[in-house]
Amino acid sequence: MSEKILIITGDGGESYEVLYALHRFREANFVTEIAAPRKRALNLVLHDFALGWDTYIERPGYGADSDLTFPEVVVDDYFAVMLIGGRAPEYLRNDPKVLEIVKEFHAKGKWIYSICHGIQILATAGLLNESNITCYEHCRPEAEAAGGKWIKEEATIDGKIISAQTWLSHPDFYRLIFQNI
């Protein structure tokens, strides 16, 4: 049986980050499942940078189906969890079950991958204390307030946490992930 990786996201998750993770892990023969608040087609988004805008813009993105709900997650079935960025982490960090899942991955010494706004879940779970991390630059104050030490790299590793800034960081992020699997 293949090793399994859990992706946590929901409506407003960054489409490119979800689909890249699904495709890249499946290409490497990992069973990859998406957990979300409900089992259904998710409304994913594309964040990009546009000339004349002070912040990123958002457009509807390609969708993906969730495979299971958070209460259905059995952490022991997976060796890693991926926390996707986009707007989804803004509300997922308030879900006690999501925090419980991530804390259990951490307590059991399993891999935690976080990209972009995914760091908001780790911050709320209290798992950044003294960790070298990176994330979308506008999440930096929140990550540092939670005890993380922000590193200005596309991707970084600290213990069993691998973090990345944005989907533009995919080459460095996945290089670190696959060097450490």
Side-chain angles (χ1 to χ4, degrees), residues 82-122:
M82 167 74 81
L83 306 176
I84 296 295
R87 279 185 297 107
E90 292 176 13
Y91 69 92
L92 295 178
R93 65 183 166 176
N94 296 304
D95 186 321
K97 186 61 180 168
V98 170
L99 299 179
E100 178 185 314
I101 290 166
V102 174
K103 287 177 182 179
E104 188 174 344
F105 268 91
H106 186 264
K108 292 183 174 184
K110 294 175 179 266
W111 285 102
I112 298 173
Y113 310 136
S114 173
I115 187 164
C116 201
H117 286 75
I119 207 77
Q120 293 175 313
I121 295 171
L122 290 177

Side-chain angles (χ1 to χ4, degrees), residues 124-145:
T124 303
L127 300 178
L128 297 182
N129 193 29
E130 304 286 322
S131 295
N132 292 320
I133 52 87
T134 195
C135 56
Y136 179 56
E137 64 185 337
H138 294 289
C139 293
R140 177 183 178 176
E142 187 173 347
E144 289 178 332

